[in-house]
Amino acid sequence: MGHRLSLLMVEDSETDAELVVLELRRHGYDVALERVDTAPALSAALESRRWDIVVCDHGLPSFDSRQALCTVRESRPDLPFVILSGTIGEEAAVEALKAGARDVVLKTNLARVGPVVDRELREAESRRRLRGAEEALVESEARKTAILDTALDAVISIDHQGRIVDFNPSAETMFGFARDEARARPVSELIIPLSLRQRHHEAFARHLATGQSTIIGTRIELTAMRADGSEFPVELSITRGDLSGRPFFTAYVRDLTERKRAEGERASLEAQLRQSQKMEAIGRFVGGITHDFTNLMSVVGGYSQLLLRDVREDDPRRPNVEEIKAASDRAAELTRQLMAFSRQQALEPKTLDLNAVILGIEPMLRRVLGEDVELVTRLAPDLGPVRADPSQLEQVVMNLAVNARDAMPTGGTLALETRHAGIDRDADEHRGPLAIERGSYSVLSVTDTGAGMDAETQSQIFEPFFTTKEVGKGTGLGLSTVYGIVLQSKGFIRVESDPERGTTFDVYLPLADARADLPQPADPDTPPARGSEAVLLVEDDEALLRLVHQTLEADGYTVLAARDAREAIDICERRHAPIDLAVTDVVMPGMGGLQLARELRARRPDLKLLFMSGYSEHGIGDEERRALNAGLIQKPFSLPGLGRKIRDLLDAT
Ligand SMILES: Nc1ncnc2c1ncn2[C@@H]1O[C@H](COP(=O)(O)OP(=O)(O)OP(=O)(O)O)[C@@H](O)[C@H]1O
Ligand SMILES: [Mg+2]
């Protein structure tokens, strides 16, 4: 059985049709024939099924071959159409071929029909293939365009001369050129920064000459340039293709600006975290040591003071005792600074106006700064109140001012400025050991025009004993104290410094809701008044207990001493005479000072209370103390200081 052939013949003569079929069978085809001889029949036949070929008689009585050809072309443009004729002249044949007939076969030479059909079938097949390939090409082109148009990366193709042939919408946005502006221009001029162009040209030329490349097929980071000349970091990968024997290159470009920014932010956050962890660790360490020192220094200082009372002015031993007293004062001061740093001071916070604090110490600041430094104050008129210990806040300003003075040995300007600041993003600022939390603040800025600091120095200034000053000039505790006080007041500190321009410290203190009451300056010069009241004294450190006991007795008081809370309660219960004041340590083995105070009050509601505290955080809170209407004295204390505190409490109504 031969090759199956669906043959549609437009022919009025059945005999002629039979002859053609016969000829084709002889040629080896298994022919399925349908013969039509009118236009409607032709149309119907074309619709009815698939055909391999149409053979059309030239001289039909009802309609001619030209019309038939049109009908076939309209519905089946690829279907081979061959004219069969006994009479066709050369001119008509040429015309038919022009109109789209594939061939003309003479009835007198029917033997040709077989080979003609062979050829037509072959060509029809290859036309079909070509059309399929074209369609596939159009489709793949459409798909490629869709991909390029929606790609998040910039996609840029260049030809072997480095000219841009493709420039997708992401490239337009990234680089700021429209596709039409970019096309056909050399890629180097358009998006490669001047500083990299030479390298690009060399690498491109080397690749074309040798096929070598260090960048094709890998990801690299580079700097690219926008239409406005600005440069930005990109990640790039390049592939090579070949088109008609010539290479072309496609680059996929990703803008790294945002990623780099985020990386930078993360790095600075990490650095800040490390710094704050380091400060915490140092704080704990320092806190542990100072705790033990507070009692020791109170004892040394206290006894040297008692000795001074007893040793006459002309006694040759007096200078020695004075030396001991001076050294212990200095040690107590150091201990106090370290306690401030490790946030163990008992603060006496008041609601106050930062501006008033600054105005209050301005005269003293002027004296400290000397004549070469000009002091400028710019105070915001509507500054909100803050809650802080006024004398500690003065300490902060003073330490910052003294540092500023030291940074301006040949003179300059020190500006004290206050302002309101709302922080609404946690990650806003990274210039201090701690990121500032969101919230509303009153800010004090202390700015000098001095020597400034490099980044290395800046990262260490808050650490205790970090100093760049020569031995004997600085202890490196000034900023540690500032740091501790500000943090303990729930504030934040930031520094910005530049060796060219000077330094600014910003102290952020959270806004307090109450109205400001003015800071009350302490009066340290009045001598302690003596007394005769009964004082219950509770302290677990025996040396300190003895010292205070002796001192108070020397001042005229009746002292009831107890080494712990139980003993104190015992005394309180057994004594029938009045007790005017209880002076108690806060942290003690067994019952602590706070609980003891409550027990004592329960028994004697009129009893006045004074806490001696070396701790703030583990001891007693501001509010608990307030609730008990109790006083507080910070260890290590001076004996006259204690005397004054006791007198004040006893005299208060
Ligand atoms: N305003 C400033 N300008 C330049 N450097 C400063 C400034 N403030 C502080 N510093 C640097 O920070 C270091 C630490 O300051 P800090 O106040 O803690 O200690 P100190 O001033 O050296 O000593 P102390 O204050 O204990 O007498 C200083 O030694 C100095 O290097
Ligand atoms: Mg200092």
Side-chain angles (χ1 to χ4, degrees):
M1 186 70 67
H3 188 74
R4 207 178 149 75
L5 182 74
S6 304
L7 171 64
L8 177 59
M9 286 199 67
V10 188
E11 173 64 85
D12 58 336
S13 153
E14 193 164 347
T15 327
D16 283 357
E18 297 272 280
L19 284 173
V20 169
V21 170
L22 217 60
E23 186 55 41
L24 286 171
R25 289 206 174 120
R26 191 174 316 132
H27 195 72
Y29 284 105
D30 170 18
V31 181
L33 170 72
E34 183 170 339
R35 186 179 62 84
V36 295
D37 55 6
T38 63
L42 174 61
S43 297
L46 285 170
E47 290 307 314
S48 70
R49 48 187 274 221
R50 210 197 118 259
W51 298 102
D52 291 319
I53 193 161
V54 178
V55 175
C56 175
D57 189 3
H58 183 57
L60 288 179
S62 53
F63 73 113
D64 70 9
S65 59
R66 270 222 325 260
Q67 221 181 320
L69 179 59
C70 284
T71 309
V72 171
R73 281 284 156 272
E74 256 168 40
S75 68
R76 297 277 184 272
D78 285 332
L79 187 59
F81 187 97
V82 174
I83 288 175
L84 183 70
S85 169
T87 57
I88 191 166
E90 210 162 276
E91 219 169 285
V94 169
E95 203 185 319
L97 292 174
K98 267 192 191 159
R102 302 289 307 168
D103 209 337
V104 179
V105 176
L106 291 177
K107 290 188 176 174
T108 50
N109 191 10
L110 264 191
R112 255 194 86 227
V113 80
V116 165
V117 167
D118 287 348
R119 189 198 67 214
E120 284 311 310
L121 290 187
R122 249 191 344 264
E123 289 186 1
E125 175 59 23
S126 77
R127 271 200 304 280
R128 230 186 341 270
R129 284 223 187 96
L130 191 65
R131 187 179 296 271
E134 268 170 9
E135 276 167 9
L137 190 66
V138 167
E139 205 176 291
S140 109
E141 190 66 24
R143 216 176 297 135
K144 184 190 105 187
T145 309
I147 290 171
L148 290 186
D149 283 357
T150 52
L152 295 176
D153 289 345
V155 182
I156 301 170
S157 294
I158 59 171
D159 63 13
H160 65 287
Q161 292 178 302
R163 288 176 195 284
I164 292 175
V165 288
D166 249 335
F167 202 75
N168 76 341
S170 284
E172 293 182 317
T173 324
M174 192 179 297
F175 292 98
F177 291 104
R179 163 180 285 172
D180 291 339
E181 287 175 273
R183 268 203 182 137
R185 287 183 50 193
V187 71
S188 58
E189 276 176 26
L190 215 62
I191 61 168
I192 298 181
L194 204 57
S195 57
L196 295 176
R197 255 174 235 175
Q198 187 59 28
R199 251 175 67 195
H200 162 79
H201 286 308
E202 285 164 12
F204 196 63
R206 188 174 57 244
H207 175 73
L208 291 180
T210 66
Q212 287 174 354
S213 167
T214 49
I215 63 171
I216 288 179
T218 60
R219 283 161 169 258
I220 50 166
E221 288 190 13
L222 274 181
T223 304
M225 186 179 73
R226 299 189 186 92
D228 62 9
S230 59
E231 298 184 1
F232 63 109
V234 294
E235 187 178 35
L236 180 73
S237 85
I238 300 177
T239 59
R240 176 188 159 139
D242 283 277
L243 205 61
S244 333
R246 286 193 159 145
F248 71 94
F249 305 89
T250 304
Y252 304 84
V253 189
R254 190 165 294 176
D255 189 339
L256 294 185
T257 312
E258 186 54 28
R259 195 202 292 174
K260 294 269 178 205
R261 199 193 55 72
E263 279 170 6
E265 191 165 281
R266 196 166 52 239
S268 100
L269 272 175
E270 278 167 6
Q272 190 164 50
L273 182 65
R274 271 197 304 280
Q275 207 186 345
S276 72
Q277 285 169 338
K278 183 177 71 179
M279 294 299 281
E280 267 316 306
I282 299 175
R284 269 196 305 279
F285 172 69
V286 167
I289 296 177
T290 47
H291 172 230
D292 291 339
F293 269 106
T294 51
N295 284 349
L296 291 175
M297 289 339 292
S298 298
V299 172
V300 175
Y303 278 109
S304 48
Q305 186 143 30
L306 289 185
L307 266 182
L308 276 179
R309 281 193 197 172
D310 299 341
V311 179
R312 288 214 321 272
E313 289 288 343
D314 55 354
D315 192 311
R317 291 170 303 177
R318 191 171 174 95
N320 294 1
V321 182
E322 276 169 350
E323 284 297 332
I324 296 174
K325 179 72 177 63
S328 89
D329 285 351
R330 175 80 191 112
E333 172 58 23
L334 274 179
T335 314
R336 239 192 310 278
Q337 284 174 305
L338 288 174
M339 284 179 72
F341 169 71
S342 53
R343 285 172 268 158
Q344 293 187 23
Q345 286 199 115
L347 297 184
E348 292 194 67
K350 295 193 165 58
T351 303
L352 47 84
D353 174 10
L354 213 49
N355 289 345
V357 173
I358 290 166
L359 290 175
I361 58 167
E362 205 183 320
M364 185 167 31
L365 279 181
R366 283 193 196 281
R367 279 200 302 279
V368 167
L369 290 175
E371 285 180 352
D372 295 336
V373 175
E374 188 194 355
L375 177 65
V376 183
T377 50
R378 283 187 285 268
L379 307 180
D382 50 355
L383 200 66
V386 296
R387 210 164 156 70
D389 183 321
S391 65
Q392 297 299 310
L393 207 51
E394 286 175 4
Q395 183 78 58
V396 166
V397 181
M398 192 54 82
N399 287 4
L400 293 175
V402 168
N403 281 347
R405 180 202 62 193
D406 293 348
M408 301 185 284
T410 55
T413 306
L414 174 68
L416 295 182
E417 213 170 329
T418 56
R419 64 173 194 280
H420 171 80
I423 301 287
D424 45 17
R425 277 185 52 201
D426 284 353
D428 220 21
E429 312 275 356
H430 306 300
R431 289 193 282 117
L434 283 177
I436 297 174
E437 286 167 13
R438 63 188 72 194
S440 279
Y441 296 87
S442 285
V443 184
L444 165 65
S445 290
V446 180
T447 303
D448 65 55
T449 55
M453 290 169 266
D454 57 23
E456 170 76 17
T457 304
Q458 275 179 58
S459 69
Q460 301 175 77
I461 50 176
F462 296 109
E463 292 168 24
F465 303 112
F466 174 82
T467 180
T468 57
K469 294 170 187 170
E470 49 191 275
V471 181
K473 281 272 169 61
T475 51
L477 285 174
L479 287 178
S480 312
T481 309
V482 168
Y483 171 85
I485 294 171
V486 171
L487 256 66
Q488 205 179 341
S489 311
K490 303 197 168 49
F492 295 91
I493 186 158
R494 271 182 3 177
V495 59
E496 193 171 355
S497 188
D498 178 346
E500 306 273 288
R501 284 199 299 274
T503 304
T504 298
F505 282 93
D506 289 324
V507 175
Y508 285 71
L509 293 171
L511 278 190
D513 34 25
R515 273 188 54 87
D517 43 51
L518 287 177
Q520 294 155 1
D523 183 3
D525 297 330
T526 41
R530 298 166 55 82
S532 57
E533 290 90 340
V535 177
L536 173 60
L537 177 64
V538 196
E539 167 64 62
D540 64 310
D541 185 308
E542 298 232 11
L544 192 58
L545 180 68
R546 263 200 313 278
L547 169 69
V548 177
H549 188 166
Q550 266 177 279
T551 311
L552 292 182
E553 252 174 15
D555 285 342
Y557 294 101
T558 303
V559 180
L560 312 159
R563 275 184 308 267
D564 58 29
R566 287 189 31 161
E567 209 181 321
I569 292 171
D570 221 36
I571 293 173
C572 176
E573 283 178 348
R574 271 186 296 146
R575 183 178 162 89
H576 299 298
I579 301 178
D580 301 287
L581 171 72
V583 179
T584 176
D585 194 8
V586 173
V587 179
M588 294 182 290
M591 186 188 294
L594 182 61
Q595 185 55 32
L596 171 63
R598 293 190 182 125
E599 297 282 340
L600 294 176
R601 265 284 165 73
R603 291 165 175 81
R604 296 181 185 241
D606 293 336
L607 182 70
K608 289 180 171 169
L609 291 166
L610 174 63
F611 290 110
M612 303 179 286
S613 171
Y615 283 107
S616 63
E617 299 188 2
H618 321 295
I620 184 168
D622 196 21
E623 273 163 32
E624 292 156 326
R625 191 163 61 77
R626 229 178 258 266
L628 285 165
N629 196 20
L632 177 78
I633 186 156
Q634 171 75 53
K635 285 179 180 178
F637 46 75
S638 72
L639 292 172
L642 176 65
R644 268 198 303 278
K645 255 285 167 18
I646 288 178
R647 204 53 264 157
D648 285 351
L649 273 171
L650 287 171
D651 292 341
T653 44

